[in-house]
Amino acid sequence: MDVNCGSYLQKYTKSAILQKKLPESQVDRALHNLFAIRMRLGLFNGNPLHTPFGNIRTDQICSPEHQILALEAARNGIVLLKNHAKLLPLPKSAMSLAVIGPNAKSPQTLVGNYAGPPCESTTPLQALQSYVKDTVYHPGCDTVSCSSIAIDEAVDIAKRAHFVVLIMGLDQTQEREALDRVDLLLPGRQQELITSVAKSAKKPVVLVLLSGGPIDVSFAKVDPRIGAILWAGYPGQGGGIALAEIIFGDHNPGGRLPGTWYPQDYTKVPMTDMRMRPDSFSDYPGRTYRFYEGDKVFEFGYGLSYSKYSYKFTHVSRKNLYLNHSSSLHTTRSWDSVGYKLVSELGTQVCDENKFKVGVGVKNDGEMSGKHPVLLFARQGKVGDGRVKKQLIGFQSVVLSGGERGEIEFEVSPCEDLSRANEYGVMVMDEGRHFLVVGDDKLPVTIII
């Protein structure tokens, strides 16, 4: 009830209370939360013009600082999914370029949903044209739905260009609020267009995908004629420029996928089955990167760079966590068997006392500088019984030049980061060996009850 922003509650809440389907206390709870937030925002502190949010002028909406922020957000969010034989970045000396696809010339697709009119708008086509004067464009499809394609025309310009960039994917006609997709494939005949162009081009092509959700592009992942794949989401008004900058190497891609990209087969799983954990008896693969056991097109957190980065744990403030016990009372033992403690029984003090710091060293082993996100995961030494495969603890970005080293520090809260929900939905802390994982490096941490 707290988050409904439509008219449903306005129409039906009173009736639900009168029919005893909803206790009035739940309405009171929701109103308490809503008004508490409004109070924290200062919305009842007198004249709204005198509050911290009361003097935001219209000229601040399109201020240079905010436009720079929009461009930086687009740069950081673009994910490099494939870069076979280091096709990208393309050389700035490229003599000719073919840009093909229905999303290449659409400023509206860039902003997606829940967006006002952009201050400025540069389409991917316009941005690419700023790098290569001899750029030829063809939409390839009539629309993103791609029910009609012009393969011959697209193939013809692809054959004559030194490099080809295909800008495909989805838009609001395919996915938006109140419009769910029924499959994970590219719409219509997009795949046919992509493979035809790739087969005819002089060199492997670059495939750019605009979409809010995952797309099963397994065909492109394994096709050597599709040399690179970039996913940009709906990157906003700066998205066109950010894409061109990354394609031609003015910026190093540093985005990571915010969700797992499932294969088309995953659509067989009923949307009404909301179990997180897999079930081998019913051939249910589970949901989210924490539990899913099926095939993946690309996994959560995946993302390539023009540089190669290496990680190493540099320090940890404590490796043994004693819950409700003094460390002097314990001797070395085997942790193959697993007991547990309810998090609710530990209390805030014990949870706070067992927080610890861990340092991660990062090195840019490549030549190109860039902003690089570092993801810290946790997993248990003992698997099965509904335990997560891994779970994200946190992430931080570090800016490193080629060959440069850096170090970042994470705070780990065991009661949150190393706990799990048992079969009753109760959060518990399992004793025994746990691992912190970053890249290929792992650090053991032992919980002693």
Side-chain angles (χ1 to χ4, degrees):
M1 291 185 62
D2 302 52
V3 297
N4 181 266
C5 58
S7 59
Y8 191 89
L9 294 179
Q10 181 181 356
K11 292 178 180 178
Y12 302 112
T13 301
K14 181 177 180 181
S15 174
I17 292 174
L18 294 175
Q19 295 179 54
K20 307 297 184 182
K21 293 181 178 179
L22 175 71
E24 192 171 340
S25 61
Q26 290 297 308
V27 179
D28 294 339
R29 177 195 58 78
L31 287 172
H32 178 276
N33 292 341
L34 289 170
F35 277 90
I37 292 294
R38 296 184 70 184
M39 289 176 183
R40 287 167 58 189
L41 290 171
L43 300 182
F44 301 109
N45 295 353
N47 188 337
L49 295 177
H50 299 157
T51 64
F53 302 103
N55 293 307
I56 299 176
R57 302 181 307 276
T58 55
D59 61 354
Q60 291 180 266
I61 297 173
C62 288
S63 66
E65 294 83 2
H66 293 167
Q67 294 195 53
I68 291 171
L69 180 62
L71 178 57
E72 185 66 17
R75 290 169 179 161
N76 293 340
I78 294 172
V79 185
L80 179 62
L81 297 174
K82 178 182 179 180
N83 196 21
H84 181 66
K86 297 183 178 180
L87 174 64
L88 291 179
L90 297 183
K92 294 178 183 176
S93 59
M95 297 178 63
S96 61
L97 181 69
V99 179
I100 299 168
N103 276 333
K105 203 177 178 181
S106 173
Q108 184 58 41
T109 301
L110 293 175
V111 299
N113 204 349
Y114 288 102
C119 306
E120 295 181 0
S121 187
T122 302
T123 66
L125 173 62
Q126 291 170 323
L128 292 170
Q129 286 173 327
S130 69
Y131 282 87
V132 182
K133 290 184 178 180
D134 185 7
T135 297
V136 182
Y137 164 70
H138 196 285
C141 299
D142 52 346
T143 62
V144 163
S145 61
C146 206
S147 57
S148 174
I149 58 176
I151 288 182
D152 292 342
E153 292 89 336
V155 164
D156 183 58
I157 69 168
K159 284 180 177 179
R160 291 186 278 113
H162 285 87
F163 294 98
V164 178
V165 177
L166 288 138
I167 304 180
M168 314 297 287
L170 312 176
D171 64 10
Q172 298 302 302
T173 67
Q174 304 296 313
E175 54 176 6
R176 64 176 186 272
E177 186 171 359
L179 178 63
D180 296 327
R181 296 160 62 198
V182 296
D183 63 49
L184 294 172
L185 301 175
L186 286 166
R189 302 173 67 185
Q190 280 198 37
Q191 180 174 332
E192 183 182 351
L193 176 66
I194 293 167
T195 54
S196 298
V197 168
K199 185 177 180 179
S200 305
K202 294 178 180 179
K203 295 183 172 116
V205 303
V206 179
L207 174 60
V208 175
L209 299 170
L210 302 184
S211 73
I215 305 172
D216 184 351
V217 287
S218 300
F219 76 95
K221 183 178 177 181
V222 299
D223 188 343
R225 296 166 302 186
I226 300 173
I229 304 173
L230 285 161
W231 177 70
Y234 295 124
Q237 70 173 47
I241 295 174
L243 273 168
E245 289 176 337
I246 288 173
I247 288 172
F248 283 97
D250 281 338
H251 280 277
N252 201 337
R256 301 291 192 100
L257 281 183
T260 300
W261 281 31
Y262 302 99
Q264 170 68 6
D265 239 17
Y266 194 61
T267 58
K268 296 177 182 177
V269 177
M271 290 185 66
T272 51
D273 192 336
M274 299 307 295
R275 289 175 294 168
M276 292 289 106
R277 292 163 177 80
D279 179 13
S280 58
F281 294 104
S282 60
D283 200 27
Y284 181 72
R287 292 186 182 275
T288 80
Y289 79 97
R290 299 169 73 235
F291 298 103
Y292 177 69
E293 292 185 345
D295 294 330
K296 297 178 285 288
V297 182
F298 296 106
E299 66 179 356
F300 167 81
Y302 181 79
L304 302 175
S305 169
Y306 294 153
S307 290
K308 183 176 176 58
Y309 294 86
S310 56
Y311 316 98
K312 188 173 183 61
F313 286 104
T314 56
H315 69 269
V316 60
S317 58
R318 58 198 308 179
K319 287 188 176 182
N320 295 326
L321 308 178
Y322 297 89
L323 304 182
N324 291 351
H325 291 283
S326 168
S327 59
S328 61
L329 299 178
H330 289 270
T331 58
T332 303
R333 56 167 285 188
S334 169
W335 298 107
D336 293 333
S337 60
V338 176
Y340 64 85
K341 189 80 173 178
L342 298 179
V343 173
S344 59
E345 290 182 352
L346 294 175
T348 302
Q349 182 177 349
V350 172
C351 287
D352 288 342
E353 289 174 351
N354 279 281
K355 292 180 180 179
F356 62 95
K357 306 279 189 180
V358 59
V360 177
V362 188
K363 183 185 177 186
N364 182 347
D365 295 314
E367 297 179 355
M368 187 173 181
S369 63
K371 185 176 182 179
H372 181 68
V374 181
L375 279 60
L376 178 65
F377 291 91
R379 66 174 177 83
Q380 289 187 236
K382 186 177 178 64
V383 298
D385 295 329
R387 294 177 178 84
V388 298
K389 298 171 64 178
K390 65 177 181 179
Q391 63 183 14
L392 183 68
I393 291 180
F395 61 92
Q396 294 186 45
S397 291
V398 58
V399 179
L400 297 173
S401 299
E404 186 180 4
R405 296 176 183 269
E407 185 165 333
I408 54 179
E409 189 175 68
F410 292 91
E411 181 179 74
V412 180
S413 175
C415 289
E416 296 178 13
D417 301 325
L418 304 181
S419 63
R420 68 178 179 92
N422 66 10
E423 63 269 28
Y424 303 107
V426 178
M427 300 306 296
V428 300
M429 294 276 287
D430 286 331
E431 71 171 347
R433 191 67 59 87
H434 297 244
F435 292 96
L436 302 179
V437 181
V438 57
D440 295 326
D441 201 16
K442 64 181 181 179
L443 177 73
V445 175
T446 302
I447 294 178
I448 302 168
I449 296 176

Short mmCIF file of all heavy atoms in Angstrom, two decimals, residues 22 60 77 143 149 209 243 263 270 284 363 388:
data_model
loop_
_atom_site.label_atom_id
_atom_site.label_comp_id
_atom_site.label_asym_id
_atom_site.label_seq_id
_atom_site.Cartn_x
_atom_site.Cartn_y
_atom_site.Cartn_z
N LEU A 22 -9.41 -6.03 4.77
CA LEU A 22 -8.23 -5.24 5.08
C LEU A 22 -8.42 -4.56 6.43
O LEU A 22 -9.40 -3.83 6.61
CB LEU A 22 -8.01 -4.17 3.99
CG LEU A 22 -6.87 -3.18 4.23
CD1 LEU A 22 -5.52 -3.87 4.08
CD2 LEU A 22 -6.96 -2.00 3.25
N GLN A 60 18.25 25.44 -13.75
CA GLN A 60 19.11 24.40 -13.20
C GLN A 60 18.85 23.04 -13.87
O GLN A 60 19.70 22.16 -13.80
CB GLN A 60 18.88 24.28 -11.69
CG GLN A 60 19.38 25.47 -10.91
CD GLN A 60 19.12 25.31 -9.42
OE1 GLN A 60 18.12 25.78 -8.90
NE2 GLN A 60 20.03 24.66 -8.75
N GLY A 77 27.23 3.42 -17.65
CA GLY A 77 26.22 2.37 -17.71
C GLY A 77 26.32 1.46 -18.92
O GLY A 77 25.67 0.41 -18.96
N THR A 143 10.39 -0.43 -38.37
CA THR A 143 10.35 0.01 -36.98
C THR A 143 11.12 -1.02 -36.16
O THR A 143 11.63 -2.01 -36.70
CB THR A 143 8.90 0.10 -36.44
OG1 THR A 143 8.31 -1.21 -36.48
CG2 THR A 143 8.06 1.07 -37.26
N ILE A 149 11.74 -5.84 -43.48
CA ILE A 149 13.16 -5.48 -43.52
C ILE A 149 13.62 -5.24 -44.95
O ILE A 149 13.07 -5.80 -45.89
CB ILE A 149 14.03 -6.57 -42.86
CG1 ILE A 149 13.82 -7.93 -43.54
CG2 ILE A 149 13.76 -6.67 -41.38
CD1 ILE A 149 14.74 -9.01 -42.99
N LEU A 209 22.91 -2.77 -28.60
CA LEU A 209 21.55 -3.11 -28.17
C LEU A 209 21.04 -2.04 -27.21
O LEU A 209 21.69 -1.73 -26.20
CB LEU A 209 21.53 -4.47 -27.47
CG LEU A 209 21.97 -5.67 -28.33
CD1 LEU A 209 22.14 -6.89 -27.45
CD2 LEU A 209 20.96 -5.94 -29.44
N LEU A 243 28.01 6.36 -26.49
CA LEU A 243 28.22 5.18 -27.33
C LEU A 243 29.34 5.41 -28.34
O LEU A 243 30.23 4.57 -28.51
CB LEU A 243 26.93 4.81 -28.06
CG LEU A 243 25.95 3.90 -27.33
CD1 LEU A 243 24.61 3.85 -28.05
CD2 LEU A 243 26.53 2.49 -27.21
N PRO A 263 18.25 -17.28 -21.29
CA PRO A 263 17.91 -17.73 -22.65
C PRO A 263 16.40 -17.75 -22.85
O PRO A 263 15.63 -17.71 -21.88
CB PRO A 263 18.51 -19.13 -22.71
CG PRO A 263 18.50 -19.61 -21.30
CD PRO A 263 18.75 -18.39 -20.46
N PRO A 270 6.68 -20.32 -15.35
CA PRO A 270 5.49 -19.48 -15.14
C PRO A 270 5.82 -18.23 -14.32
O PRO A 270 6.55 -18.30 -13.33
CB PRO A 270 4.53 -20.41 -14.36
CG PRO A 270 5.04 -21.79 -14.61
CD PRO A 270 6.52 -21.68 -14.78
N TYR A 284 12.58 -26.91 -11.92
CA TYR A 284 12.49 -25.45 -11.77
C TYR A 284 13.89 -24.90 -11.55
O TYR A 284 14.60 -25.32 -10.62
CB TYR A 284 11.59 -25.12 -10.58
CG TYR A 284 11.39 -23.66 -10.33
CD1 TYR A 284 10.60 -22.89 -11.17
CD2 TYR A 284 11.98 -23.03 -9.24
CE1 TYR A 284 10.41 -21.54 -10.95
CE2 TYR A 284 11.78 -21.68 -8.99
CZ TYR A 284 11.01 -20.94 -9.85
OH TYR A 284 10.82 -19.59 -9.62
N LYS A 363 44.67 -3.71 -9.97
CA LYS A 363 45.68 -3.24 -10.92
C LYS A 363 45.12 -3.24 -12.33
O LYS A 363 44.47 -4.20 -12.75
CB LYS A 363 46.92 -4.13 -10.87
CG LYS A 363 48.03 -3.61 -11.80
CD LYS A 363 49.23 -4.52 -11.87
CE LYS A 363 50.25 -3.97 -12.86
NZ LYS A 363 51.38 -4.89 -13.07
N VAL A 388 22.49 -19.65 -0.93
CA VAL A 388 22.75 -18.92 -2.16
C VAL A 388 24.05 -19.40 -2.80
O VAL A 388 24.97 -19.84 -2.10
CB VAL A 388 22.83 -17.40 -1.92
CG1 VAL A 388 21.53 -16.86 -1.37
CG2 VAL A 388 23.99 -17.06 -0.99
#
